[in-house]
Amino acid sequence: EGTNAMLELIEPYKGQALEIWQTVYAWLLSPTFWAQIAGVVVAWFVAKIVAGQLRKRIPLLSTEPKEGKLLFLREMLYKARGLVQPLVLVAALAIVIAILDAVTGSSWLVKIAQGLALVLSLKTAIELFIPLVGLQKIVKLVVLPSELMMVFGVFDAFTAFLENDAVLQLGNIRLSALFLIKGAIFGAIIFWIGRQSNTAGQTAIHKQETLDLGMKSLISKLFQILLFIVMGIIFLQVLGVDLTA
């Protein structure tokens, strides 16, 4: 009985599994498919070699700046050395795509690889230029899944599903899943920015030696209220709430 139940459970998916296998088998027999695999591998090796040479030969990328003019800009450029290989890989894959389109008329696999290389570039940029781990996680949570869905061409369909089909109805109030997700993500980002701004503002206020303790306390409270109002308006604007209605 257990075996029969298992077979009944699998039965509806047998046709889909067979179609997938036939597609994969056709790929494995296709010279075009293997040409794309070879193109991706060659592009990866070329990017690795070229990026290594660029990091060695360009002074701004080879030596970490310690002092001198435009130190901040030079530090940013040195940090960007981690982006060289993924960006060179994106460029190399673009050349492979152009060649394959001209020769075989097919480059879908290389385009997927290029999209994944762009995702890797974004991930690297986030890790290099956003020093705070908490904010890194929030930005990755927003950017990387969206970019992956764009790579596979499902981003528009996914957002349309969240907006039109995944809906919570509370009386006359209609809340889509997309609205709730945007609220959670941007709310977290705005909350973090507000907290950091409040900390910096409070520190600056309490450093003012010309103000007495009572005045510092009053200005501190007014600053918190103003910051709360500003962050609230920004949050509502991000969610698309019409404040003039």
Side-chain angles (χ1 to χ4, degrees), residues 70-223:
L70 301 174
L71 180 60
F72 176 75
L73 179 59
R74 287 160 52 216
E75 286 175 340
M76 290 297 102
L77 289 172
Y78 181 77
K79 274 187 177 182
R81 71 198 304 269
L83 284 170
V84 174
Q85 184 169 333
L87 291 178
V88 172
L89 177 58
V90 170
L93 289 170
I95 295 171
V96 172
I97 289 169
I99 294 171
L100 288 174
D101 282 342
V103 175
T104 67
S106 179
S107 60
W108 62 269
L109 183 61
V110 186
K111 288 177 181 176
I112 291 175
Q114 187 185 44
L116 294 176
L118 280 171
V119 173
L120 176 61
S121 300
L122 284 171
K123 177 178 179 295
T124 304
I126 291 167
E127 292 170 350
L128 287 174
F129 296 107
I130 300 179
L132 298 169
V133 176
L135 186 57
Q136 274 188 23
K137 290 180 179 179
I138 293 172
V139 175
K140 285 180 180 179
L141 180 65
V142 176
V143 173
L144 298 185
S146 300
E147 183 66 21
L148 276 172
M149 285 189 285
M150 288 179 187
V151 169
F152 292 101
V154 298
F155 181 76
D156 291 339
F158 181 70
T159 53
F161 168 77
L162 293 178
E163 178 66 29
N164 301 318
D165 298 324
V167 175
L168 176 64
Q169 195 76 34
L170 299 173
N172 294 328
I173 301 173
R174 178 184 180 278
L175 298 174
S176 69
L178 182 62
F179 180 85
L180 296 174
I181 291 170
K182 283 169 61 178
I185 292 172
F186 289 108
I189 293 172
I190 291 170
F191 173 79
W192 181 88
I193 293 172
R195 187 174 65 177
Q196 297 299 316
S197 301
N198 182 58
T199 301
Q202 297 298 331
T203 301
I205 291 168
H206 287 289
K207 282 183 178 179
Q208 301 302 313
E209 297 179 358
T210 56
L211 300 175
D212 59 35
L213 188 60
M215 185 58 70
K216 286 180 181 179
S217 178
L218 176 61
I219 294 174
S220 176
K221 292 298 182 184
L222 289 174
F223 175 77

